[in-house]
Amino acid sequence: MEKFSSFRDPGTGIQPFLAPVPPQERDLLVTILTPIRAVVAVTRTAVIVVLISIHFVLVHVIGFICRPVPPLQDVISWLGTALLARLALYVMGFWSVPTELIVRKRGKIPENKWNPRAGDLVVSNWSSWIEVLWLAYKYNPLFVLPVANAPAASSARDASSVSYTPGRKTGTGSAAISSFNRALSSPEVIRGFRQVSLLEIISSTGNTPSAPSSVPLRSLDDIRRSARSPVVVFPECTTSNGRGLLRFADVFDGASVPTKGYNIFLMCVRYDPPTPSQPSLSHSVPGTTLNPLRHLFQICTSLSPQSITIRQLPLSESPSSQLFIVNEVVAEPRSDMLAEVCAVLIARMGKMKRVGFGWEDKYAFLNFYRGRR
């Protein structure tokens, strides 16, 4: 859409924030099946709401009662999270979620598979709440969200400003096309992290980091040290539409590479483009109320099986391997070398282009998007 051209990455031409639009051609079969799809969507959504209720009772009520007995609480947390998350994925149409181990060197057989343990970090790109459900089912991890100050209004020019007009200055043809350009926002400092539940991170999908509050903040390393399960980190700090990899924030606080005392597990998630019968699975624009209920309903209208591509890097090739050579991945020093290494490797795994926009630009985009509707 032309009015959002200022949020198109100047280096790659990618618009990473708007939800992908399916082809506009009319599909007679889709039109005929619309009533059936609506009934299926209502039924599926109702079942998932029931699963959410069971999850809340098991994890937040019974689990809280069992806090004096940590092993029992962990078992209840697994039952209420991993099993119910898989059931929810199955109801939505994700009958099978295959994973693929990607090796950086051709012909090399990965020595070990994924097995994150307590205190390890799982680092991934972020396009939807669906991969959050999959991670909950697979590893029952601890989720964290970053906290940062809201970007300053002066950090970027107004999104509606016109910077130049290409073509002949005749007022016709290409000269009549206004091209928008917007300065990239400056990175904001991540003040800390807060531990969140599965339901909270799902409802936060698509939003940008929250502002500091009275709740005490903790460093990522502090949370990792005390965790009884793997910790999932999304360095983009918000979701994109999956077309490009957003700029990683400095979330690792200058951690050394290779890391010591814990392992880094890298993964990349990709979704197929939407079709007339299949809505977009990425969730870049959050709903203002009951997020992401509307997106859930749209997904549940599909009558065909859903697909997701998950690529993982073997532990032997991750930044936590003591044989990892930083110069093979990043040539120049960075303020957060671990974040830059993770960004490069995730982009290579997913064959994604990196864009210059970060969560700060997503903050400006959401303000512009909601203000122009």
Side-chain angles (χ1 to χ4, degrees):
M1 298 174 67
E2 187 64 28
K3 66 180 180 180
F4 297 108
S5 296
S6 56
F7 292 96
R8 189 176 298 278
D9 181 62
T12 62
I14 294 175
Q15 214 297 6
F17 300 136
L18 278 177
V21 179
Q24 297 301 313
E25 64 265 17
R26 297 181 63 86
D27 190 320
L28 181 59
L29 182 60
V30 172
T31 303
I32 294 175
L33 294 177
T34 297
I36 298 177
R37 295 175 64 194
V39 172
V40 170
V42 170
T43 304
R44 286 176 167 177
T45 303
V47 171
I48 292 176
V49 170
V50 171
L51 293 177
I52 291 173
S53 303
I54 297 174
H55 166 84
F56 182 84
V57 171
L58 283 176
V59 176
H60 297 279
V61 178
I62 299 179
F64 180 81
I65 296 174
C66 297
R67 287 185 64 183
V69 187
L72 180 59
Q73 184 185 25
D74 291 341
V75 171
I76 293 174
S77 175
W78 176 79
L79 288 173
T81 301
L83 294 182
L84 293 176
R86 185 64 187 97
L87 285 174
L89 288 169
Y90 189 86
V91 170
M92 288 189 293
F94 293 94
W95 301 340
S96 176
V97 184
T99 59
E100 180 182 3
L101 279 177
I102 304 296
V103 294
R104 292 191 291 139
K105 298 180 181 179
R106 293 184 178 180
K108 185 177 180 181
I109 301 176
E111 293 85 354
N112 42 31
K113 296 184 178 181
W114 268 45
N115 186 26
R117 301 181 182 276
D120 291 338
L121 295 182
V122 178
V123 183
S124 173
N125 65 315
W126 198 7
S127 296
S128 181
W129 49 273
I130 297 171
E131 60 260 36
V132 173
L133 268 182
W134 182 84
L135 285 165
Y137 145 68
K138 197 71 176 179
Y139 306 111
N140 189 24
L142 186 154
F143 294 100
V144 295
L145 286 175
V147 176
N149 294 326
S154 60
S155 63
R157 287 176 290 179
D158 185 81
S160 62
S161 63
V162 179
S163 63
Y164 69 95
T165 303
R168 302 180 305 277
K169 297 182 181 299
T170 62
T172 61
S174 62
I177 303 175
S178 295
S179 177
F180 298 86
N181 190 20
R182 177 178 175 276
L184 301 179
S185 296
S186 301
E188 294 288 337
V189 176
I190 301 299
R191 301 296 180 183
F193 289 84
R194 56 190 181 95
Q195 180 179 334
V196 296
S197 65
L198 173 62
L199 296 180
E200 187 173 357
I201 193 170
I202 288 177
S203 64
S204 300
T205 302
N207 290 300
T208 54
S210 60
S213 62
S214 58
V215 179
L217 301 180
R218 302 172 63 189
S219 68
L220 184 60
D221 192 60
D222 182 36
I223 294 175
R224 181 196 62 77
R225 290 176 183 273
S226 60
R228 300 205 302 266
S229 60
V231 179
V232 172
V233 184
F234 298 113
E236 292 172 290
C237 299
T238 187
T239 54
S240 71
N241 58 18
R243 294 192 59 200
L245 189 66
L246 301 182
R247 181 180 66 219
F248 277 22
D250 293 347
V251 297
F252 298 109
D253 196 23
S256 61
V257 183
T259 59
K260 297 181 180 179
Y262 62 97
N263 291 321
I264 300 285
F265 292 84
L266 298 181
M267 60 176 274
C268 182
V269 180
R270 297 293 302 268
Y271 296 107
D272 294 336
T275 66
S277 61
Q278 171 65 32
S280 173
L281 297 178
S282 64
H283 186 58
S284 57
V285 180
T288 54
T289 56
L290 297 178
N291 183 57
L293 182 61
R294 181 179 178 181
H295 188 229
L296 167 64
F297 186 85
Q298 291 174 343
I299 292 175
C300 289
T301 61
S302 177
L303 301 180
S304 57
Q306 309 280 12
S307 64
I308 177 175
T309 300
I310 296 180
R311 296 176 177 176
Q312 300 173 323
L313 192 70
L315 185 59
S316 59
E317 298 192 15
S318 83
S320 57
S321 171
Q322 299 308 304
L323 300 179
F324 186 86
I325 302 176
V326 179
N327 293 337
E328 292 183 353
V329 180
V330 179
E332 300 178 357
R334 300 296 176 95
S335 56
D336 191 336
M337 185 60 75
L338 180 56
E340 179 66 15
V341 167
C342 291
V344 172
L345 294 178
I346 289 175
R348 289 180 182 177
M349 277 194 295
K351 298 180 181 179
M352 303 173 65
K353 291 183 178 180
R354 298 176 64 189
V355 300
F357 289 136
W359 70 264
E360 301 86 353
D361 302 282
K362 175 72 173 292
Y363 179 89
F365 167 80
L366 290 177
N367 287 339
F368 181 73
Y369 178 87
R370 290 164 178 166
R372 292 299 182 93
R373 296 188 67 182

